[in-house]
Amino acid sequence: MNTIKDIDLNLLVYLDVLLRERNVTRAAAQLNITQPAMSNGLKRLRNLLNDPILVRTSEGMMPTQRALDMQEALRTVLYSVEEMIQPVREFEAATSDRVFRIMASDYAASTLMPRLLEALDEQAPNVSLDIMTPSDISFHDVENGKVDLAINRFEKLPQSFHQKVLWQDEFSCLIHKEHPLLQNYTLDEYLKAQHVWVSKTGFGVGVGMDPHDVQKLGWVDEALDKLEQRRHIKVFTRNYHVAMYLARQGLVATLPTRAAALYESDELLVKKEPPFTIPGLTLTMIWSPLLQHDAGHRWFRQIVADTAAEE
């Protein structure tokens, strides 16, 4: 029987990366070792555990059931070790030139980032932001600490992530001031109008939209579906500013109120409450346990949360 003193603990790190990447070459690249070294590590793991660990299938390398059963406990152990050996260093915001990488939906970037930049200019003028879209990264990138924060609306999250709610938001309609809908602002007239749809973005590259697939259309259309109603969507977009610009061209834009408020002073547009009830949305930031105790990351999380709390 193997005891811990008989085991090369680096193999646990290899196993963790292999189970996440499910590819020897990618796992080797992430650990900055050669592909033969990673292949040898996998061979040693198979001998140690008396299990294939990864099996080649038509869909690529897939973990065995034993490997899957070990994965959560393995992550817990490695996170604990990371936290234990993390050096304790103070973070000097005023002089730091650190780059913080944020995945932010278009909605979050439009509503939160301008105010966050103002706060950074005051407290940390040399700090920079690298803002990415949801299609640029995966949950693995967040889990591995490659991304400092992901800010979006999330339906399901891995249990290992830390998270904090930034705000709750409602919905509003942006309508051209001469649109006939404003003369008789009812649900029936709303449904007769032409609309611009703007996405509820998540992780991964998006695909084309199907107007009949209500489950993928999101908040507004799911609310209408409960009323057994459909709206006429003329344009699908993934960009809130495009949606708001198209409202100036005569389409009706129904979108989160904080986004609509960006165009509230536009003399061509009128902001109205929707003529039906749409459940609100929650904007959340998430981050890796690997970054939980990093002094700079703690400071950055706090400044993001403080900025979001400002009215």
Side-chain angles (χ1 to χ4, degrees):
M1 179 180 294
N2 290 310
T3 63
I4 195 164
K5 66 181 177 63
D6 301 317
I7 299 171
D8 178 357
L9 295 182
N10 282 324
L11 290 178
L12 298 181
V13 179
Y14 287 17
L15 178 59
D16 175 53
V17 177
L18 283 165
L19 292 180
R20 283 187 279 114
E21 295 296 335
R22 302 186 182 187
N23 180 283
V24 171
T25 301
R26 289 199 302 268
Q30 187 170 135
L31 291 179
N32 198 28
I33 62 175
T34 65
Q35 192 268 348
M38 180 57 77
S39 294
N40 182 58
L42 177 57
K43 180 180 178 180
R44 294 168 62 196
L45 280 165
R46 285 168 169 167
N47 290 333
L48 174 68
L49 299 174
N50 193 28
D51 187 88
I53 306 301
L54 290 174
V55 178
R56 191 176 302 280
T57 71
S58 60
E59 298 181 355
M61 299 290 281
M62 299 297 291
T64 63
Q65 186 58 52
R66 182 174 184 195
L68 289 173
D69 291 342
M70 294 175 62
Q71 190 170 19
E72 185 174 347
L74 177 63
R75 292 305 298 158
T76 300
V77 169
L78 292 178
Y79 284 148
S80 297
V81 173
E82 286 279 356
E83 291 181 4
M84 180 177 64
I85 66 175
Q86 185 74 32
V88 178
R89 292 179 294 181
E90 295 298 322
F91 179 72
E92 300 293 341
T95 57
S96 174
D97 61 357
R98 182 166 169 175
V99 177
F100 289 98
R101 292 175 174 84
I102 307 173
M103 186 291 287
S105 64
D106 180 60
Y107 160 66
S110 299
T111 53
L112 178 61
M113 293 305 144
R115 290 187 290 137
L116 178 59
L117 285 174
E118 291 179 2
L120 290 177
D121 284 343
E122 292 180 3
Q123 299 185 39
N126 297 320
V127 161
S128 301
L129 300 180
D130 181 5
I131 301 173
M132 293 166 281
T133 69
S135 62
D136 292 330
I137 68 167
S138 67
F139 274 131
H140 285 163
D141 295 323
V142 180
E143 185 177 36
N144 296 338
K146 293 180 179 179
V147 179
D148 290 289
L149 291 175
I151 303 176
N152 204 346
R153 174 187 182 269
F154 302 103
E155 294 181 356
K156 294 182 180 180
L157 287 171
Q159 292 184 350
S160 61
F161 286 175
H162 292 278
Q163 59 181 290
K164 180 176 178 59
V165 171
L166 295 181
W167 67 53
Q168 308 282 341
D169 202 358
E170 305 300 328
F171 282 81
S172 294
C173 295
L174 284 180
I175 307 167
H176 193 284
K177 66 178 183 180
E178 296 180 0
H179 198 294
L181 172 60
L182 294 175
Q183 304 304 313
N184 185 21
Y185 192 63
T186 64
L187 176 57
D188 286 342
E189 294 302 314
Y190 173 93
L191 296 174
K192 292 177 184 177
Q194 293 187 332
H195 297 260
V196 54
W197 174 97
V198 63
S199 74
K200 57 169 188 177
T201 47
F203 283 99
V205 178
V207 296
M209 295 304 302
D210 179 356
H212 304 291
D213 190 348
V214 174
Q215 295 303 313
K216 292 185 178 179
L217 291 180
W219 310 289
V220 177
D221 298 280
E222 288 175 1
L224 285 172
D225 186 61
K226 291 180 179 179
L227 299 174
E228 299 184 345
Q229 302 291 345
R230 296 283 179 90
R231 59 176 175 164
H232 178 202
I233 301 172
K234 185 71 173 178
V235 174
F236 292 88
T237 181
R238 279 74 178 165
N239 188 292
Y240 280 84
H241 287 284
V242 169
M244 292 183 279
Y245 181 79
L246 290 176
R248 301 177 90 252
Q249 310 304 306
L251 299 184
V252 176
T254 307
L255 64 171
T257 298
R258 286 179 183 257
L262 299 175
Y263 282 65
E264 195 168 17
S265 61
D266 191 313
E267 61 183 14
L268 291 180
L269 296 175
V270 176
K271 182 165 75 74
K272 300 271 288 183
E273 290 186 11
F276 59 103
T277 300
I278 306 173
L281 64 89
T282 301
L283 187 70
T284 305
M285 68 175 178
I286 64 173
W287 62 94
S288 168
L290 297 176
L291 298 171
Q292 171 70 2
H293 298 286
D294 177 87
H297 199 271
R298 289 201 306 268
W299 171 84
F300 186 61
R301 295 197 304 265
Q302 190 60 54
I303 198 172
V304 171
D306 291 344
T307 301
E310 296 174 358
E311 292 297 331

